[in-house]
Structures are given as structure tokens and as C-alpha cells.
Amino acid sequence: GDAYTVTVTVTDSDGDADSAVLPLGVNNVSPTVRIDSELADSDGNPDNGNDELLALLIGVVDDPSATDQFTYTWTLTETTQSGQSITTVTDGPTSDRTSNFSFTRNPSSTYQAKLEVADDDSGTGETTAVFLGGTSGDDTITITLGNSVDIDNHGVQYAGIEPGDRILISLGAGNDTVLVDPAVDTPLLLDGGPGDDVIIAGSGDDI
């Protein structure tokens, strides 16, 4: 934080005055962070239908300072039937309150994203999310509650996935089905895309 000196002077009606000098400390407020998602095009921008196998994760920062600089560190873990792969990307320092991270995805993979944000006053914030993406066909994604959450993504099953702070589902075209167990209370951000979709959400703060 920053340190200041405050001088307080009191004068009465007879003109007598006295002053006191006081130290004042202003503490930094750490940034708060969330992750949004969309399907994306090859330029890393929101999708217009050209590249259904690209995904765009959007980190959004809320911070009361108008002058802070932020450094974003993305860690993406892809889980497949054969194992895991991890990618780390750093963005900044920058005054931007958003950071875009696009990647080519496998429709049947499950992705766990972690975003850590540091401001230039040593404040930090982080958040995590699970990302699932659809295709141009008819997709079915089922999420049930196990030891953590169990996911059936395009017929590929993953057990014990840590959902983090949010579950992100971005579907493409097609008549898709998303079924989330009512016992799953992790907030869900879901974009159904075009098509006649059936969506049953869980008990979280879903959008």
C-alpha cells in the first residue's frame, strides 16, 4: 500500500489553533477475476462460424484502481482418454481489464483453465473453470455429481473432474442436449448456439 501524512488543524472562535500530524496508510485491493468463454475464429476473436474447433477464454478483471497494470497467467490442462497436457501463457503487464486466450480444441476433451492475475501493487486474484465445447453436429453433454463432477462429453466419460469456480459450455450449431444434475451447484455459463437445443441446468447461479 501507499503511505501518506495527514495534518489536522483545529481553530476555535477565539483564534486559538492546534495541529496534529497523523500517518495514513492506504492498502491495495486485490483484483477479482472471472473467466467467460466463446467459440472463436482463427484470429482469436468471437466466432462467426468459420472455425468451430477454436475456443476463446476471456479473463475479466474487476479492480477499484483506475491506474493499475495487470499481468495475466493462463494455465490450460487438457484431459483426454490417454492423459493430460498442460499449456501456460502469460499476458501483460497491461492496463486492459480483459485478456483473451484462444486455443484449438478437441471436442471430446475436457479442459480445466486457471487464470492468475497480479496487479502492480503485488495484489493477486485467481479463478478456475472447466470448459467444454460443441461441434456443428448434434452434441450431448451430461454432468453429474460424483466425488467432484463426472462428465460425459460426446460419449467420452471423465470421472472426478474438479469443476473449479465455473463450468463453461460453448456449443456450435446442431440440435444439442445438455443435462446437468440438479445436485451440481457450480455456476454454469452456457452458450447453446444455433439449433433446437435441450438444456437442463443444475442448481448453481447459471447463465
Short mmCIF file of all heavy atoms in Angstrom, two decimals, residues 6 9 14 21 27 35 37-38 68 79 86 90 94 121-122 130 140-141 145 148 150-151 160 165 168 185 189 191 200:
data_model
loop_
_atom_site.label_atom_id
_atom_site.label_comp_id
_atom_site.label_asym_id
_atom_site.label_seq_id
_atom_site.Cartn_x
_atom_site.Cartn_y
_atom_site.Cartn_z
N VAL A 6 -1.06 13.08 7.13
CA VAL A 6 -2.22 13.97 7.18
C VAL A 6 -2.03 14.95 8.35
O VAL A 6 -1.77 14.52 9.49
CB VAL A 6 -3.52 13.18 7.36
CG1 VAL A 6 -4.71 14.13 7.46
CG2 VAL A 6 -3.71 12.21 6.20
N THR A 9 -5.69 20.53 11.55
CA THR A 9 -5.62 21.76 12.34
C THR A 9 -7.02 22.16 12.77
O THR A 9 -7.95 22.22 11.95
CB THR A 9 -4.99 22.90 11.52
OG1 THR A 9 -3.67 22.50 11.10
CG2 THR A 9 -4.89 24.18 12.33
N ASP A 14 -11.91 31.82 19.28
CA ASP A 14 -11.00 32.87 19.78
C ASP A 14 -9.73 32.96 18.93
O ASP A 14 -8.83 33.74 19.26
CB ASP A 14 -10.61 32.57 21.23
CG ASP A 14 -11.81 32.64 22.17
OD1 ASP A 14 -12.67 33.51 21.94
OD2 ASP A 14 -11.88 31.82 23.11
N VAL A 21 -0.25 15.78 13.46
CA VAL A 21 0.18 15.10 12.24
C VAL A 21 -0.03 13.61 12.43
O VAL A 21 0.44 13.02 13.42
CB VAL A 21 1.67 15.40 11.93
CG1 VAL A 21 2.10 14.64 10.68
CG2 VAL A 21 1.88 16.89 11.75
N ASN A 27 -4.24 0.75 1.79
CA ASN A 27 -3.91 -0.61 1.36
C ASN A 27 -4.44 -0.90 -0.03
O ASN A 27 -5.51 -0.40 -0.42
CB ASN A 27 -4.48 -1.64 2.34
CG ASN A 27 -3.81 -1.57 3.70
OD1 ASN A 27 -2.61 -1.29 3.79
ND2 ASN A 27 -4.57 -1.80 4.76
N ILE A 35 -13.76 -16.02 -15.52
CA ILE A 35 -13.48 -16.49 -16.88
C ILE A 35 -14.80 -16.65 -17.63
O ILE A 35 -15.71 -17.34 -17.15
CB ILE A 35 -12.73 -17.83 -16.88
CG1 ILE A 35 -11.39 -17.69 -16.14
CG2 ILE A 35 -12.48 -18.32 -18.30
CD1 ILE A 35 -10.65 -19.02 -16.00
N SER A 37 -16.38 -17.49 -21.78
CA SER A 37 -15.93 -18.28 -22.93
C SER A 37 -16.83 -18.07 -24.13
O SER A 37 -18.01 -17.72 -24.00
CB SER A 37 -15.88 -19.77 -22.59
OG SER A 37 -17.19 -20.29 -22.43
N GLU A 38 -16.25 -18.29 -25.32
CA GLU A 38 -16.98 -18.32 -26.58
C GLU A 38 -16.24 -19.27 -27.51
O GLU A 38 -15.07 -19.59 -27.28
CB GLU A 38 -17.04 -16.93 -27.24
CG GLU A 38 -17.76 -15.87 -26.43
CD GLU A 38 -17.80 -14.53 -27.16
OE1 GLU A 38 -17.73 -14.54 -28.41
OE2 GLU A 38 -17.88 -13.51 -26.49
N ASP A 68 -4.02 0.75 -12.25
CA ASP A 68 -3.26 -0.48 -12.08
C ASP A 68 -2.91 -1.12 -13.42
O ASP A 68 -3.67 -1.05 -14.39
CB ASP A 68 -4.03 -1.49 -11.23
CG ASP A 68 -3.78 -1.30 -9.74
OD1 ASP A 68 -2.98 -0.42 -9.39
OD2 ASP A 68 -4.38 -2.03 -8.93
N THR A 79 -7.62 -32.71 -20.65
CA THR A 79 -7.74 -34.10 -20.22
C THR A 79 -8.37 -34.92 -21.34
O THR A 79 -9.47 -34.61 -21.81
CB THR A 79 -8.59 -34.23 -18.95
OG1 THR A 79 -7.98 -33.46 -17.91
CG2 THR A 79 -8.69 -35.67 -18.49
N ILE A 86 -0.51 -29.80 -20.53
CA ILE A 86 -0.65 -28.51 -19.86
C ILE A 86 0.03 -27.43 -20.69
O ILE A 86 1.17 -27.58 -21.14
CB ILE A 86 -0.05 -28.55 -18.45
CG1 ILE A 86 -0.78 -29.58 -17.58
CG2 ILE A 86 -0.11 -27.17 -17.79
CD1 ILE A 86 -0.20 -29.77 -16.21
N THR A 90 1.42 -16.25 -20.63
CA THR A 90 1.41 -15.02 -19.83
C THR A 90 1.13 -13.83 -20.74
O THR A 90 1.66 -13.73 -21.85
CB THR A 90 2.75 -14.83 -19.11
OG1 THR A 90 2.98 -15.94 -18.23
CG2 THR A 90 2.75 -13.55 -18.29
N THR A 94 -0.35 -5.00 -18.54
CA THR A 94 -1.20 -4.19 -19.38
C THR A 94 -2.28 -3.53 -18.52
O THR A 94 -2.63 -4.03 -17.45
CB THR A 94 -1.87 -5.07 -20.47
OG1 THR A 94 -2.80 -4.28 -21.21
CG2 THR A 94 -2.61 -6.24 -19.84
N ASP A 121 0.75 -3.56 -7.64
CA ASP A 121 0.93 -3.31 -6.21
C ASP A 121 1.02 -4.61 -5.42
O ASP A 121 0.78 -4.63 -4.21
CB ASP A 121 -0.24 -2.47 -5.67
CG ASP A 121 -0.25 -1.07 -6.28
OD1 ASP A 121 0.81 -0.42 -6.28
OD2 ASP A 121 -1.32 -0.64 -6.76
N SER A 122 1.34 -5.70 -6.13
CA SER A 122 1.52 -7.04 -5.54
C SER A 122 0.22 -7.69 -5.09
O SER A 122 0.24 -8.70 -4.38
CB SER A 122 2.51 -6.98 -4.35
OG SER A 122 3.77 -6.49 -4.77
N VAL A 130 -13.96 -25.18 -15.75
CA VAL A 130 -13.95 -26.28 -16.70
C VAL A 130 -14.60 -25.79 -17.99
O VAL A 130 -15.65 -25.12 -17.95
CB VAL A 130 -14.70 -27.51 -16.16
CG1 VAL A 130 -15.03 -28.50 -17.27
CG2 VAL A 130 -13.87 -28.20 -15.09
N THR A 140 -24.21 -34.11 -27.24
CA THR A 140 -24.81 -34.42 -25.94
C THR A 140 -23.72 -34.33 -24.87
O THR A 140 -22.68 -34.99 -24.98
CB THR A 140 -25.42 -35.83 -25.92
OG1 THR A 140 -26.47 -35.89 -26.90
CG2 THR A 140 -26.00 -36.14 -24.54
N ILE A 141 -23.96 -33.51 -23.87
CA ILE A 141 -23.05 -33.36 -22.74
C ILE A 141 -23.86 -33.57 -21.46
O ILE A 141 -24.89 -32.95 -21.26
CB ILE A 141 -22.39 -31.97 -22.73
CG1 ILE A 141 -21.48 -31.80 -23.96
CG2 ILE A 141 -21.58 -31.75 -21.45
CD1 ILE A 141 -20.89 -30.42 -24.10
N LEU A 145 -22.96 -35.47 -10.43
CA LEU A 145 -22.16 -35.25 -9.22
C LEU A 145 -21.60 -36.56 -8.73
O LEU A 145 -22.34 -37.50 -8.42
CB LEU A 145 -23.02 -34.60 -8.14
CG LEU A 145 -22.27 -34.12 -6.89
CD1 LEU A 145 -21.31 -33.00 -7.25
CD2 LEU A 145 -23.26 -33.63 -5.83
N SER A 148 -16.34 -35.37 -7.29
CA SER A 148 -16.37 -33.96 -7.66
C SER A 148 -17.49 -33.87 -8.71
O SER A 148 -18.64 -33.94 -8.37
CB SER A 148 -15.01 -33.49 -8.15
OG SER A 148 -14.44 -34.44 -9.03
N ASP A 150 -18.68 -35.69 -12.60
CA ASP A 150 -18.42 -36.64 -13.67
C ASP A 150 -19.02 -36.09 -14.95
O ASP A 150 -20.17 -35.61 -14.95
CB ASP A 150 -19.03 -38.01 -13.35
CG ASP A 150 -18.46 -38.62 -12.08
OD1 ASP A 150 -17.31 -38.28 -11.73
OD2 ASP A 150 -19.16 -39.41 -11.43
N ILE A 151 -18.26 -36.15 -16.04
CA ILE A 151 -18.67 -35.53 -17.30
C ILE A 151 -18.69 -36.58 -18.40
O ILE A 151 -17.72 -37.33 -18.58
CB ILE A 151 -17.71 -34.38 -17.68
CG1 ILE A 151 -17.78 -33.26 -16.64
CG2 ILE A 151 -18.03 -33.85 -19.07
CD1 ILE A 151 -16.75 -32.17 -16.83
N GLY A 160 -14.52 -37.61 -11.68
CA GLY A 160 -13.75 -36.89 -10.68
C GLY A 160 -13.09 -35.62 -11.18
O GLY A 160 -12.00 -35.26 -10.73
N ASP A 165 -14.41 -22.82 -10.18
CA ASP A 165 -15.38 -21.80 -9.80
C ASP A 165 -16.53 -21.68 -10.80
O ASP A 165 -17.55 -21.05 -10.49
CB ASP A 165 -14.68 -20.44 -9.69
CG ASP A 165 -13.57 -20.46 -8.64
OD1 ASP A 165 -13.80 -21.02 -7.56
OD2 ASP A 165 -12.47 -19.94 -8.92
N LEU A 168 -17.98 -23.85 -18.06
CA LEU A 168 -18.23 -23.12 -19.30
C LEU A 168 -18.55 -24.11 -20.41
O LEU A 168 -17.77 -25.03 -20.65
CB LEU A 168 -16.99 -22.30 -19.68
CG LEU A 168 -16.33 -21.47 -18.58
CD1 LEU A 168 -15.00 -20.92 -19.06
CD2 LEU A 168 -17.25 -20.33 -18.16
N ASP A 185 -23.96 -27.66 -8.05
CA ASP A 185 -24.26 -26.25 -7.75
C ASP A 185 -23.16 -25.30 -8.22
O ASP A 185 -23.19 -24.11 -7.90
CB ASP A 185 -24.51 -26.06 -6.25
CG ASP A 185 -23.32 -26.48 -5.39
OD1 ASP A 185 -22.28 -26.84 -5.94
OD2 ASP A 185 -23.46 -26.43 -4.14
N LEU A 189 -21.97 -21.25 -17.18
CA LEU A 189 -22.12 -20.28 -18.26
C LEU A 189 -22.26 -21.08 -19.54
O LEU A 189 -21.33 -21.74 -19.96
CB LEU A 189 -20.92 -19.34 -18.33
CG LEU A 189 -20.92 -18.35 -19.51
CD1 LEU A 189 -22.08 -17.38 -19.40
CD2 LEU A 189 -19.59 -17.59 -19.57
N ASP A 191 -23.56 -21.28 -23.67
CA ASP A 191 -23.99 -20.69 -24.93
C ASP A 191 -24.44 -21.83 -25.83
O ASP A 191 -23.62 -22.63 -26.29
CB ASP A 191 -22.84 -19.91 -25.56
CG ASP A 191 -23.22 -19.27 -26.89
OD1 ASP A 191 -24.40 -19.37 -27.30
OD2 ASP A 191 -22.33 -18.67 -27.53
N ILE A 200 -30.92 -28.53 -19.63
CA ILE A 200 -31.40 -28.64 -18.25
C ILE A 200 -30.21 -28.33 -17.35
O ILE A 200 -29.25 -29.09 -17.29
CB ILE A 200 -31.97 -30.03 -17.95
CG1 ILE A 200 -33.17 -30.31 -18.88
CG2 ILE A 200 -32.38 -30.14 -16.48
CD1 ILE A 200 -33.75 -31.71 -18.70
#
